[in-house]
Amino acid sequence: ADFNLREQALPVLSAAGIRYRSGKALVPFRLTGQTPELRPVVNWYFKLPEMRQVVSEHVDNIARDPRTREVTVTTEREFLVPPIIYIKNELEDDYRAIADQLPAHSFLAAEKGKQSFGLEFADFNLREQALPVLSAAGIRYRSGKALVPFRLTGASPATSTGESRPRTWKTLRA
């Protein structure tokens, strides 16, 4: 498969293999005495949500293996559900007042004994578009678990050779 990876160059402070945000003070690292330095890095974004079916098949396979702990399977399956936002039941009227302003979604009634109902979206981007609408209406919410793009950070041949072509899984293996 040819998985597109989006790259983005960002400055990162690095010393002794530890990464710092750019705003941190440049003081010597306590163990080595090295002063962190600003280095360009490339971030590749693996589009994990597009691989939901492959990941789901993998989880099904490991679930059949008696050596796999149940907690591993349960935890991995938690991330395979569609993107959901949870809202406390007492805010349902507030939600209904602005429901038509949200991107396409399905209403999930609260399960018996649960304190929140859900809004299920077809993809992560639609869920993210709903958040500012809910916030503007003063509706408190929490996001459920979801597959999101996975970031890989590191030095790349592109940074040393000046290469500017888009990176793909195939070109990274070459």
Side-chain angles (χ1 to χ4, degrees):
D2 183 15
F3 309 119
N4 289 325
L5 301 171
R6 181 172 58 100
E7 63 180 84
Q8 178 185 34
L10 294 174
V12 174
L13 297 174
S14 177
I18 298 174
R19 301 201 180 274
Y20 301 90
R21 292 188 181 179
S22 302
K24 297 256 183 183
L26 293 175
V27 295
F29 188 65
R30 290 184 184 181
L31 295 177
T32 65
Q34 293 178 321
T35 299
E37 62 186 61
L38 193 59
R39 294 183 184 173
V41 297
V42 174
N43 291 318
W44 294 284
Y45 291 88
F46 182 80
K47 297 178 180 179
L48 193 54
E50 293 176 11
M51 301 302 299
R52 182 182 312 274
Q53 184 61 38
V54 173
V55 174
S56 182
E57 290 170 9
H58 167 73
V59 173
D60 290 343
N61 285 336
I62 67 170
R64 289 189 288 273
D65 185 337
R67 297 171 297 175
T68 304
R69 292 181 176 194
E70 184 59 33
V71 68
T72 301
V73 174
T74 302
T75 302
E76 290 185 20
R77 284 197 171 132
E78 288 174 357
F79 286 90
L80 295 173
V81 298
I84 298 176
I85 293 174
Y86 295 98
I87 301 173
K88 290 202 174 238
N89 292 334
E90 67 243 23
L91 299 174
E92 185 174 341
D93 290 339
D94 296 338
Y95 152 74
R96 298 247 181 235
I98 57 111
D100 61 338
Q101 298 172 36
L102 298 172
H105 65 281
S106 299
F107 177 85
L108 305 174
E111 295 175 13
K112 185 177 180 179
K114 298 289 183 175
Q115 298 179 6
S116 301
F117 61 90
L119 307 179
E120 181 178 306
F121 296 86
D123 63 45
F124 181 74
N125 290 329
L126 291 175
R127 184 185 81 173
E128 292 303 295
Q129 292 171 21
L131 301 182
V133 178
L134 293 168
S135 294
I139 298 173
R140 294 185 58 194
Y141 57 85
R142 70 178 175 84
S143 298
K145 297 175 181 174
L147 289 179
V148 296
F150 181 74
R151 184 180 77 192
L152 302 170
T153 301
S156 135
T159 57
S160 60
T161 64
E163 178 183 337
S164 61
R165 66 187 168 119
R167 310 295 283 170
T168 65
W169 183 254
K170 284 181 181 176
T171 61
L172 290 174
R173 290 185 306 178

